[in-house]
Amino acid sequence: MDGDTRSQLDSYITDLYAREDDTLRWIQQEASRHELPQISLKPFEGRLMQFLVSLAGAKKVVEIGTLAGYSGVWIARALPPDGRLYTLERSSKHAQVARASFRQAGLADKVEVIEGDARESLRQLSTNGPFDLVFIDADKASYPDYLAWAIDNLRPGGVVAAHNAFRGGRILMPESDEDRAMLAFNRAIAEHPQLDSMILAIGDGMAVGIRKG
Ligand SMILES: C[S@@+](CC[C@H](N)C(=O)[O-])C[C@H]1O[C@@H](n2cnc3c(N)ncnc32)[C@H](O)[C@@H]1O
C-alpha cells in the first residue's frame, strides 16, 4: 500500500471513529501555543487506546508520557465513573499544560498527573496496583524497564500497550539508538512468556501484550 492510500485510510478511520471535539482541538492549540513538541497520538490512535480500555474493562490505567494530556483525555473518557488514570511526566512545563487540559475536559478528578522521572514515579505507584492497563509513550531507551514494571504490576488479563512500534518505518532499517531500542523492545514483548502479544499496524504501530494468568 502506498503512502497516499495509507493516509486516505487513516482519514477514513478518523471520520468513522475519531472525530475531535472542541476540547481535543483546544488541547492541541494550547500545546502549540506553549511550544510543546507535536508528538502526541493521532486522533485514530487515541480512539485505539479507548478501544483497548474498553476491551480490557480497565478501571485503573497508567500512562507513561503525558505531554499536553491529549492521549490522556482519550483514555480517561473511556474509563467508568470510578476509573482512574495516573499519567507520568518528567517535564514540569508539560505537566502544567496537561493539568489545564484535564481541567478543560472536566476530567481533573479522574486523572492524576505525576511529575518526575517515570522510573521513580513507577516505583512509588506500585502500591496503588495492580493495574488494568499500562500505556507506554515516552523515552524509548526505558521501554524495557517500563515493560518489566507493567508485567509486575498488571492484573492477569491486563494490557500493556506501547506506541511507536514502527518508528515511522525505521524499525526495518534502524538509524538511531532510539530505533535500535524499539527493535529490542518489540522482540522482548513478542517473546515474553508472561504475555500474549501482537503489534497492531495502526498509525505508528502499537505493540500490545495481554498479561497471562
Ligand atoms: C511522545 S510524548 C507523549 C505523548 C502523549 N502520550 C500524547 O499522545 O498526547 C512523550 C512524553 O514523555 C515525556 N518523557 C520522556 N521521558 C520521560 C521519563 N523518563 N519520565 C517521564 N516522562 C518522560 C516527555 O517529556 C514527553 O512529554
Side-chain angles (χ1 to χ4, degrees):
M1 190 186 307
D2 63 30
D4 263 7
T5 309
R6 175 73 193 240
S7 109
Q8 283 174 41
L9 288 172
D10 288 348
S11 301
Y12 175 74
I13 298 172
T14 304
D15 274 354
L16 268 182
Y17 289 106
R19 290 196 188 183
E20 287 179 317
D21 62 5
D22 289 347
T23 302
L24 289 166
R25 278 193 291 271
W26 182 89
I27 292 169
Q28 296 298 44
Q29 281 159 13
E30 282 297 288
S32 156
R33 192 170 71 81
H34 289 280
E35 298 179 341
L36 267 53
Q38 294 183 6
I39 50 175
S40 70
L41 294 191
K42 301 279 182 285
F44 56 89
E45 294 173 318
R47 176 67 195 130
L48 170 64
M49 287 313 303
Q50 289 192 329
F51 184 70
L52 293 177
V53 168
S54 302
L55 205 62
K59 271 190 183 182
K60 267 197 285 180
V61 176
V62 177
E63 175 183 60
I64 306 168
T66 314
L67 194 62
Y70 182 82
S71 55
V73 165
W74 279 99
I75 291 168
R77 282 178 169 175
L79 290 171
D82 58 343
R84 190 142 194 87
L85 169 67
Y86 302 90
T87 180
L88 278 44
E89 176 55 58
R90 77 171 161 202
S91 153
S92 49
K93 181 181 173 182
H94 297 185
Q96 206 180 330
V97 174
R99 286 192 185 98
S101 299
F102 294 121
R103 277 197 299 276
Q104 179 75 14
L107 293 164
D109 56 347
K110 228 179 198 178
V111 181
E112 195 173 324
V113 180
I114 301 175
E115 221 173 292
D117 186 86
R119 270 164 299 205
E120 179 51 34
S121 304
L122 287 172
R123 255 191 294 279
Q124 294 176 21
L125 202 54
S126 286
T127 51
N128 294 33
F131 298 91
D132 304 303
L133 191 147
V134 176
F135 174 46
I136 305 172
D137 192 19
D139 49 325
K140 307 305 167 218
S142 303
Y143 270 37
D145 291 343
Y146 300 149
L147 180 66
W149 186 90
I151 290 162
D152 286 346
N153 289 276
L154 278 170
R155 63 156 165 84
V159 169
V160 55
H163 189 226
N164 303 119
F166 291 159
R167 298 280 300 160
R170 294 187 305 282
I171 207 70
L172 300 174
M173 216 177 279
E175 293 166 11
S176 66
D177 286 348
E178 292 220 309
D179 296 342
R180 281 181 278 278
M182 203 67 209
L183 202 62
F185 173 83
N186 283 344
R187 183 153 295 281
I189 194 170
E191 293 179 348
H192 202 290
Q194 282 173 278
L195 293 174
D196 187 3
S197 56
M198 184 57 188
I199 293 177
L200 306 181
I202 297 172
D204 196 27
M206 193 72 77
V208 179
I210 304 168
R211 170 84 156 76
K212 290 181 187 168

